[in-house]
Amino acid sequence: MSPKSVKAKIGPSVLNADLSQLYTESQRLMDCGADYLHLDVMDGNFVPNLTFGHPVVKCLRNKITDAFFETHMMVDKPEMWIEGMADARVDQYTFHTEPVSDVLGVCRKVKEAGMKVGLAIKPKTPVETLVKYMDQADLILIMTVEPGFGGQKFMADMMPKVKWLRENYPGMDIEVDGGVGPSTIQACAEAGANMIVAGTAVVQSDNPQNVIETLRSTVAGAIVKCAS
């Protein structure tokens, strides 16, 4: 991992925040030093939960105009929502490969819509399944819990996937999501993750700014150490 190629970035998830105060909560997280917002979109099919879609994201974008938005599409048919999310001015469209028959086709449509491509896999999906799509990806998301609900326990046995990606694709943005906080960030950083999604650990903290700074400094330190 080279300091020139990847940077430490923290993207809080608002999944466990008060969603009736989505704008207020999201703005608070940005004010606390978040590098981007990670927005969990669930369709009730791919995962047993339902959150919000592109109309809500567009309303949020109208209020927060300059933040980097990543939508984590936990949906059966990610191709259905590309146009709507592009219209909502989403920056990064991260979708799960498991339910998709034509991953390359979805990647192409996401790029054509002006968004970056993120590819996500669930814990039971082998990381090697991503190899044939890597040249189309801007980011790889390794889930460190089963997708669908916040507040789950971090799965440390996902770290070999992260390490394998960093060794084979040193310039790739590698994101981890699920149960990440001050007690688990060291494992993520040492494995090679540079983009960190943190939900409960940040949103429910008495000092979210301090948590974000702790996560970022740990990852940044690992990047420098690896490059030296």
Side-chain angles (χ1 to χ4, degrees):
M1 208 165 27
S2 167
K4 295 181 180 179
S5 59
V6 294
K7 295 182 179 180
K9 296 180 181 180
I10 311 302
S13 164
V14 295
L15 184 60
N16 276 12
D18 181 355
L19 292 179
S20 72
Q21 302 292 325
L22 182 59
Y23 160 63
T24 302
E25 290 287 285
S26 298
Q27 187 62 59
R28 178 174 71 96
L29 294 169
M30 294 304 300
D31 292 343
C32 286
D35 296 292
Y36 64 104
L37 287 176
H38 183 89
L39 303 171
D40 293 298
V41 177
M42 307 180 191
D43 65 355
N45 293 310
F46 182 69
V47 292
N49 198 3
L50 190 66
T51 54
F52 46 77
H54 55 86
V56 171
V57 176
K58 187 172 184 178
C59 289
L60 185 62
R61 172 57 87 193
N62 288 338
K63 287 183 172 288
I64 302 178
T65 58
D66 56 352
F68 189 96
F69 279 14
E70 177 190 23
T71 51
H72 178 190
M73 306 300 296
M74 289 172 268
V75 299
D76 269 343
K77 298 179 179 180
E79 65 275 11
M80 288 180 59
W81 316 111
I82 294 171
E83 185 177 341
M85 288 302 180
D87 181 63
R89 287 175 287 151
V90 165
D91 301 286
Q92 175 96 42
Y93 193 88
T94 299
F95 67 94
H96 278 263
T97 60
E98 291 93 353
V100 181
S101 59
D102 183 12
V103 173
L104 291 176
V106 176
C107 290
R108 184 179 65 254
K109 291 177 181 177
V110 171
K111 287 181 178 291
E112 288 173 351
M115 297 180 289
K116 291 187 174 182
V117 172
L119 300 178
I121 56 172
K122 297 194 291 185
K124 292 180 182 178
T125 302
V127 69
E128 292 82 5
T129 63
L130 297 174
V131 170
K132 53 191 171 183
Y133 314 127
M134 292 299 293
D135 61 346
Q136 297 298 312
D138 298 292
L139 171 148
I140 301 297
L141 167 55
I142 299 297
M143 291 299 297
T144 45
V145 299
E146 288 294 336
F149 294 90
Q152 298 181 62
K153 185 179 179 181
F154 175 78
M155 299 170 69
D157 55 346
M158 294 299 105
M159 292 304 96
K161 292 183 181 181
V162 176
K163 186 176 181 181
W164 183 88
L165 283 168
R166 182 56 67 205
E167 290 174 348
N168 287 279
Y169 304 95
M172 179 65 65
D173 277 325
I174 303 172
E175 185 177 55
V176 289
D177 178 10
V180 182
S183 65
T184 55
I185 187 59
Q186 192 67 44
C188 299
E190 290 178 356
N194 68 295
M195 294 184 68
I196 308 298
V197 178
T200 304
V202 172
V203 173
Q204 298 185 4
S205 170
D206 292 333
N207 191 339
Q209 183 172 355
N210 183 63
V211 174
I212 290 172
E213 289 175 353
T214 297
L215 300 179
R216 186 187 293 109
S217 64
T218 302
V219 174
I223 291 174
V224 171
K225 182 178 179 181
C226 185
S228 62

